[in-house]
Amino acid sequence: MNEPETDVVHAVEHATEAEPHDNRRQVLYWRLLARLFDPEEQAALESASLAVVEDIGLPPALLDPGASVDSIVQRHPELAAEFDGLMVPEAEAEAEAGTGPEAGTRPEAGTGPEAGTRPEADDGDIRDRPAEVRRAALVSKVLLNVFSTGTGAVSAGQLARWQSDAGWLERALGCTPGDLRGGRAGGGRGVSPTGSGGNGGTPDLSRLIPQIGPELGALEGDLVKRMHLREVLADPALAARLTPSMSLIEQLLRDKNNLSGVALANAKALIRRFVDEVAEVLRTQVEKATVGAIDRSVPPKRVFRNLDLDRTIWKNLTNYSPEEERLYVDRLYYRHTARRTTPQRLVVVVDQSGSMVDSMVNCTILASIFAGLPKVDVHLIAYDTQALDLTPWVHDPFETLLRTNLGGGTDGTVAMALAQPKIAEPRNTVVVWISDFYEWRGEPLYDSMAALRRSGVKFIPVGSVTSSGRGSVNPWFRERFKDLGTPVLSGHIRKLVHELKTFLT
């Protein structure tokens, strides 16, 4: 048999061997689609999927929509490593993990001593099809638990289970739980059977269409809205199972005036936990950029730790004695260490209408952190159709949030009337205005903002200060701010931290 005929025979044999595995994988994905779009079971798909799962050595509980990923991993701990990085593209997984079994590769049960590697032929034609079927079963479980949220009322336990499953999806994508949804601090590296660990990598998720982070946040928000929140808060055991999230905090802030007793105490405890988690992340980001420029107008302190040895030797080389092989030093040189810390005033104006709750929470916490920096005078104003000066409580974001009233219209002119008297030295003041700028009286507000800018105030318009970067801005204001030379800052809160630190230090 000549060489071309041999190649044809091998190709036919390979196709014949691959077909059953492809069929199995398709059965699992068809079942996934059927359950996502129709909660009723399709008997044929269910029985076929059960046969596939049992044949490849996975627990039948993977097909139970009521079983969380946590519960499956607790019963089968060996699956935790398989869920981690499950949906990370091959090239990224290999680049991060390396090639050896001790370089972070993920074990695949039932594949022998080379567990954790995904064999591929040099020509790329031969794939590990049994491993692909196994992967399809695990992926289907995670996607079904996260994206099939049902209808009707939701209990605290159901919300907690969904948040745990969403954390496993984020781990499958190579992130730490909470990173994609935003609003909570991400964890470090590690593996935990309760969904609290993760690979801790930073994969390129820009190829996801649509962007999955905001969609996960929207699903979580919908579940929170469907909860009987007051009844849950009235029960300490149920309230303790709630995981603080931006969606939950929004609901608590909206309903806080209708709570009392145990329910109000539990609500405050949840808000405090969330504020502390976000504050920890933001404080780290601020501290990374707190160092100001060297102030050379201040003479260096003449102590040993500031001695500039290299400069001292260089400047005294003319005193070197070749005969004695000795360098005589007639002057010591010291490094400047004093930092320039000019007193600044920071005025933060936040739109507290319903669409800006994420920004309200983040900027309230951020203002409190900046208020703790030396020689920074921070003022905080919140507004909708009325303005409220929250400066007396700016050091405590928890108390500040309890005094906000989310919802209503938007009239920035009332906030401007409060902000203008606070600007005593324009060139020593920065005004941060956070809003979507859908204003009732847009032109008068813009004119007053332009006047602030011309007076020397550092004016920073911000359209979105969220943990996920999601938000929209009135196009009319966006274009005029661009013409004014102060384009609207939108995106992750790190951008605002950077802008403020550039001016304040």
Side-chain angles (χ1 to χ4, degrees):
M1 186 179 293
N2 58 32
E3 186 173 342
E5 291 176 340
T6 303
D7 292 341
V8 170
V9 170
H10 287 169
V12 171
E13 290 175 350
H14 176 64
T16 303
E17 180 184 349
E19 186 175 350
H21 297 298
D22 290 341
N23 290 340
R24 288 179 170 189
R25 193 173 71 253
Q26 289 176 15
V27 165
L28 293 170
Y29 284 136
W30 275 114
R31 174 189 176 271
L32 170 64
L33 292 174
R35 293 304 295 261
L36 285 174
F37 292 101
D38 185 356
E40 294 296 327
E41 290 187 1
Q42 302 293 323
L45 286 174
E46 292 296 327
S47 59
S49 298
L50 178 60
V52 171
V53 168
E54 290 179 338
D55 188 59
I56 60 178
L58 288 174
L62 280 177
L63 301 179
D64 180 5
S68 67
V69 178
D70 261 356
S71 65
I72 292 174
V73 170
Q74 286 169 358
R75 297 173 190 171
H76 307 275
E78 71 279 0
L79 294 180
E82 291 194 59
F83 279 111
D84 276 322
L86 179 67
M87 300 167 70
V88 175
E90 294 290 334
E92 291 181 11
E94 291 174 4
E96 289 182 8
T99 57
E102 296 180 6
T105 52
R106 182 161 53 85
E108 303 279 354
T111 56
E114 289 79 27
T117 59
R118 299 178 183 176
E120 292 186 12
D122 295 338
D123 59 5
D125 291 331
I126 300 176
R127 291 147 45 190
D128 188 353
R129 296 183 184 274
E132 289 181 357
V133 177
R134 187 181 185 87
R135 182 170 177 264
L138 298 174
V139 168
S140 296
K141 177 58 180 175
V142 176
L143 293 181
L144 183 61
N145 278 26
V146 171
F147 290 100
S148 180
T149 56
T151 58
V154 175
S155 68
Q158 288 173 315
L159 176 64
R161 195 193 76 176
W162 183 90
Q163 289 172 330
S164 172
D165 288 334
W168 281 105
L169 174 59
E170 289 165 318
R171 290 175 64 169
L173 290 167
C175 302
T176 47
D179 278 0
L180 295 182
R181 283 168 286 165
R184 284 194 298 276
R189 295 179 64 89
V191 176
S192 165
T194 58
S196 59
N199 282 338
T202 54
D204 178 13
L205 300 177
S206 61
R207 295 190 294 272
L208 290 178
I209 303 173
Q211 293 294 318
I212 198 172
E215 300 308 320
L216 289 177
L219 283 173
E220 186 174 38
D222 177 66
L223 290 171
V224 170
K225 289 178 182 177
R226 287 159 49 191
M227 282 178 55
H228 295 305
L229 194 56
R230 295 180 197 175
E231 288 80 354
V232 172
L233 291 173
D235 186 332
L238 290 177
R241 298 179 63 182
L242 290 174
T243 302
S245 65
M246 188 61 72
S247 302
L248 179 59
I249 297 309
E250 178 180 356
Q251 291 298 107
L252 293 176
L253 292 176
R254 289 184 187 278
D255 205 34
K256 66 180 184 297
N257 294 329
N258 299 318
L259 301 175
S260 60
V262 175
L264 181 60
N266 287 331
K268 287 183 176 181
L270 285 167
I271 295 173
R272 172 68 77 182
R273 279 171 57 194
F274 183 78
V275 166
D276 291 344
E277 289 176 7
V278 177
E280 185 66 27
V281 177
L282 295 184
R283 189 175 293 110
T284 301
Q285 295 174 2
V286 171
E287 289 172 352
K288 286 180 180 178
T290 53
V291 180
I294 294 290
D295 188 353
R296 299 194 178 277
S297 65
V298 178
K301 193 172 183 180
R302 296 174 179 270
V303 294
F304 178 76
R305 69 172 178 270
N306 292 340
L307 178 64
D308 190 340
L309 189 59
D310 291 340
R311 190 172 177 221
T312 298
I313 294 174
W314 176 258
K315 291 289 187 179
N316 288 279
L317 282 178
T318 54
N319 300 328
Y320 179 71
S321 172
E323 294 80 9
E324 301 178 58
E325 295 184 348
R326 181 173 296 180
L327 177 66
Y328 291 92
V329 177
D330 56 16
R331 181 180 175 183
L332 297 174
Y333 291 84
Y334 297 87
R335 300 183 186 89
H336 290 81
T337 56
R339 301 285 176 176
R340 188 177 292 114
T341 55
T342 308
Q344 307 286 354
R345 173 163 291 187
L346 171 63
V347 181
V348 181
V349 184
V350 188
D351 175 358
Q352 65 172 356
S353 62
S355 60
M356 297 296 292
V357 60
D358 203 339
S359 292
M360 183 72 209
V361 172
N362 277 293
C363 289
T364 297
I365 297 170
L366 191 62
S368 72
I369 294 172
F370 276 101
L373 297 180
K375 299 183 179 180
V376 179
D377 183 20
V378 179
H379 295 254
L380 179 63
I381 298 170
Y383 76 97
D384 43 34
T385 55
Q386 296 180 325
L388 179 64
D389 190 346
L390 298 170
T391 303
W393 303 278
V394 72
H395 289 273
D396 189 342
F398 172 71
E399 291 295 331
T400 301
L401 287 173
L402 291 182
R403 285 168 171 78
T404 60
N405 292 296
L406 301 180
T410 311
D411 185 3
T413 58
V414 296
M416 183 62 76
L418 269 182
Q420 285 173 329
K422 297 178 179 291
I423 304 172
E425 300 177 39
R427 298 192 177 279
N428 201 28
T429 303
V430 56
V431 174
V432 179
W433 198 290
I434 301 105
S435 174
D436 54 11
F437 297 100
Y438 285 96
E439 296 282 342
W440 287 0
R441 294 188 282 179
E443 291 193 25
L445 177 61
Y446 173 76
D447 291 341
S448 58
M449 290 174 171
L452 286 184
R453 163 84 170 169
R454 289 192 296 269
S455 70
V457 170
K458 170 71 172 178
F459 183 76
I460 305 176
V462 182
S464 172
V465 185
T466 68
S467 301
S468 61
R470 196 182 194 185
S472 63
V473 177
N474 187 338
W476 187 89
F477 269 91
R478 185 186 290 277
E479 290 302 318
R480 278 154 183 77
F481 282 138
K482 190 182 297 184
D483 295 339
L484 190 64
T486 57
V488 175
L489 183 68
S490 294
H492 200 282
I493 194 168
R494 282 192 297 266
K495 292 184 180 179
L496 180 57
V497 171
H498 176 74
E499 286 287 324
L500 292 177
K501 293 309 301 181
T502 300
F503 181 79
L504 293 171
T505 58

